[in-house]
């Protein structure tokens, strides 16, 4: 883990109000699902840096980008920077999606798309297209759709039916299961808003699918010192300890490890 100031290269509009915040390297090798703590060097309006999954990275690490949706003061400050201004990055942090799943079914909601572009590129490099179910309320919320469609086999869904399957991305997964296109024993990787992840985890449990969730727990330090990011857990990985720090043992957990 390193903390370093990186110059902003550009903000690339991904539609729906979200941007790829692209910074100069060096960006260290980073596994899909790992994240960085970000803040601006100047004019940072809040006390703590904010966590973001690495969205994209040049193969040689010469640049990297983060998919940022403005929801509060920190994200707005990041999107308010000018090219050449400094963005402070700490990372890579956290535990990525498991590396040994050859053909996962990926399910993304909104900015939950972020970890899957790198994963899609890795899969394509090894000769296999990633299956990605990508949902939002409407077409505008599918920020980054063009990027990921160039790298993966994307099945889009919108709650209002304005693009792709009509319904939630969980409904889309249920539909694929009902049609036998996703079967018991397969593995789902999921990232998105909490209600969507709960629905996907419950669906997977009912149909015998393994399920890994990337949590967007609120974080303070991002590297294990404040205990501000704990979730209740169970299972052998935690050796009987009932809490886990999302920034260290997560953000990716197997669904059954999380205590509702
Ligand atoms: C591992 C990880 C990866 C992430 N990756 C991305 C990413 O790629 N792109 C992206 O846009 N965002 C991502 N996030 C979420 C992002 O870090 C938060 O939304 C961040 O708090 C925004 O900062 P802010 O100062 O703009 O808003 P804040 O002031 O922190 O929050 C604005 C509002 O949203 C609420 N809120 C914010 N985050 C949470 C939360 N996690 N749980 C409950 N309520 C919350 C706050 O209470 C407040 O009402 C990620 C989070 C984690 C933990
Ligand atoms: S955010 Fe501080 S311990 Fe996880």
């Amino acid at each position: 883990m390193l903390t370093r100031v990186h110059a902003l290269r550009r903000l690339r509009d991904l539609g729906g109000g979200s941007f790829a915040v692209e910074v100069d390297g060096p960006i260290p090798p980073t596994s899909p699902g790992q994240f960085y703590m970000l803040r601006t060097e100047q004019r940072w309006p809040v006390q703590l840096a904010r966590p973001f999954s690495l969205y994209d990275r040049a193969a040689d690490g010469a640049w990297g980008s983060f998919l940022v949706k403005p929801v509060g003061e920190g994200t707005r400050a990041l999107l308010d920077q000018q090219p050449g201004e400094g963005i402070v990055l700490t990372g890579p942090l956290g535990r990525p999606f498991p590396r040994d799943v050859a053909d996962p079914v990926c399910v993304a909601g909104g900015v939950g798309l972020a970890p899957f572009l790198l994963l899609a590129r890795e899969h394509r490099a090894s000769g296999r297209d990633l299956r990605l179910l990508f949902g939002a309320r409407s077409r505008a919320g599918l920020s980054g759709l063009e990027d990921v469609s160039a790298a993966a086999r994307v099945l889009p869904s919108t709650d209002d039916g304005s693009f792709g399957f009509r319904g939630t991305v969980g409904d889309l997964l249920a539909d694929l299961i009902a049609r036998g296109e996703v079967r018991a024993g397969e593995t789902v990787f999921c990232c998105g808003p909490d209600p969507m992840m709960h629905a996907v985890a419950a669906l997977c449990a009912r149909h015998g699918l393994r399920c890994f969730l990337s949590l967007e727990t609120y974080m303070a330090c991002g590297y294990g010192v404040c205990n501000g990011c704990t979730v209740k857990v169970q299972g052998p990985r935690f050796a009987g300890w009932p809490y886990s720090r999302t920034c260290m043992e997560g953000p990716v957990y197997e669904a059954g490890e999380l205590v509702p």
Side-chain angles (χ1 to χ4, degrees), residues 218-229 245-248:
Y218 210 63
M219 289 180 183
C221 70
Y223 43 85
V225 298
C226 74
N227 286 329
C229 62
R245 289 163 304 177
T246 313
C247 66
M248 298 296 288

Side-chain angles (χ1 to χ4, degrees), residues 50-53 67-69 71-75 114 216-219:
R50 300 295 196 235
F52 294 89
S53 306
L67 166 50
V68 177
K69 176 180 178 179
V71 294
E73 286 191 84
T75 42
E216 290 201 351
T217 316
Y218 210 63
M219 289 180 183

Side-chain angles (χ1 to χ4, degrees), residues 3-7 23-26 39-41 84-89:
T3 296
R4 204 195 294 257
V5 182
H6 297 254
V23 297
D24 279 341
R39 64 178 174 83
T40 59
E41 191 182 21
E85 290 194 300
I87 310 275
V88 185
L89 264 60

